[in-house]
Amino acid sequence: MTTITNVRREVLAGGRVKGAMVRAHLQFVRDRIGEAALAQTLQALPKELAAEVHNVLTSTWCAFESLIQLDRAIARVAGGDEKELLRELGRYSAQINLSTVYRAFHRDDLHEFFRHSATLHRQFQDFGTCEYEHVGDGHGKISVRGAVCYSPTYCTSEVGYLEQVISTHGGTSVSVVETACQCAGDDRCTFELRWH
């Protein structure tokens, strides 16, 4: 299994994500770092972008680029290991959203959850086509092809999100590794999932 280490590019324009993701990332700052850090994060953003992310609703759309700039501002304000912080943002987003706005998507079987999630992909981001491959017991792959926008910031957060999804559904010894990435010149982003 290979891990992506040579990230060379990103495209931020052209796509949108649901506001639930943005709201969860803002709540992460409130809960983990504090209200003052949230104000500092929003002040670090351009005025229009700060207004967009601050006012987004869980059910409305937000520009992909705005989410990426928000996450980078959070990382700067929080300090420390940026990759670990981004993974934690993803884990927190899954924890919050799977217990609230997306709880109807819970499935007892993880493979069923991921198959179902792949078909609903376009409801949560309006770029790329998602596919799920059931490889074996406790082993699957998620691939997103043809995304008009992509960023290593987003992919790192996605690893954390998928880790938490698996844990929330009862998986243990969780491993999520990105084995292909559009940021590294591949035609898709693929996440290999393993659990017990």
Side-chain angles (χ1 to χ4, degrees):
M1 180 183 331
T2 58
T3 302
I4 303 306
T5 56
N6 186 17
V7 175
R8 299 186 304 269
R9 61 188 185 154
E10 67 181 359
V11 176
L12 300 180
R16 301 174 304 166
V17 296
K18 272 296 169 93
M21 186 183 308
V22 177
R23 301 298 309 162
H25 290 201
L26 293 171
Q27 190 62 44
F28 171 88
V29 178
R30 271 191 198 97
D31 290 351
R32 302 284 172 89
I33 310 172
E35 200 68 42
L38 179 60
Q40 188 179 354
T41 299
L42 292 171
Q43 288 170 356
L45 297 172
K47 191 173 183 176
E48 294 95 21
L49 194 152
E52 178 187 12
V53 298
H54 182 69
N55 296 320
V56 73
L57 303 174
T58 57
S59 60
T60 59
W61 292 98
C62 179
F64 177 78
E65 182 173 6
S66 299
L67 172 69
I68 300 305
Q69 289 191 37
L70 170 64
D71 287 355
R72 289 177 179 162
I74 291 170
R76 285 191 304 274
V77 169
D81 183 336
E82 182 177 335
K83 284 189 176 184
E84 184 50 40
L85 177 88
L86 292 169
R87 285 174 69 155
E88 189 58 30
L89 274 173
R91 287 191 284 267
Y92 188 87
S93 183
Q95 183 179 11
I96 292 293
N97 288 320
L98 290 174
S99 65
T100 56
V101 293
Y102 302 142
R103 68 178 167 266
F105 299 115
H106 180 84
R107 299 290 184 272
D108 292 331
D109 178 76
L110 261 168
H111 293 294
E112 183 184 342
F113 174 85
F114 285 125
R115 275 191 301 275
H116 189 65
S117 293
T119 62
L120 296 171
H121 172 82
R122 296 295 254 170
Q123 292 184 27
F124 308 114
Q125 58 188 55
D126 68 355
F127 52 93
T129 302
C130 187
E131 301 168 349
Y132 179 69
E133 177 187 353
H134 179 156
V135 178
D137 289 344
H139 186 193
K141 290 182 183 181
I142 290 179
S143 293
V144 178
R145 297 177 186 272
V148 295
C149 52
Y150 43 87
S151 168
T153 299
Y154 190 75
C155 291
T156 303
S157 178
E158 182 70 7
V159 168
Y161 181 88
L162 294 168
E163 288 170 344
Q164 186 63 43
V165 165
I166 295 170
S167 296
T168 298
H169 284 82
T172 60
S173 303
V174 177
S175 170
V176 177
V177 177
E178 188 175 24
T179 57
C181 186
Q182 284 189 252
C183 302
D186 296 316
D187 67 346
R188 67 194 175 282
C189 293
T190 298
F191 300 89
E192 186 145 1
L193 319 173
R194 293 181 184 272
W195 66 90
H196 289 103

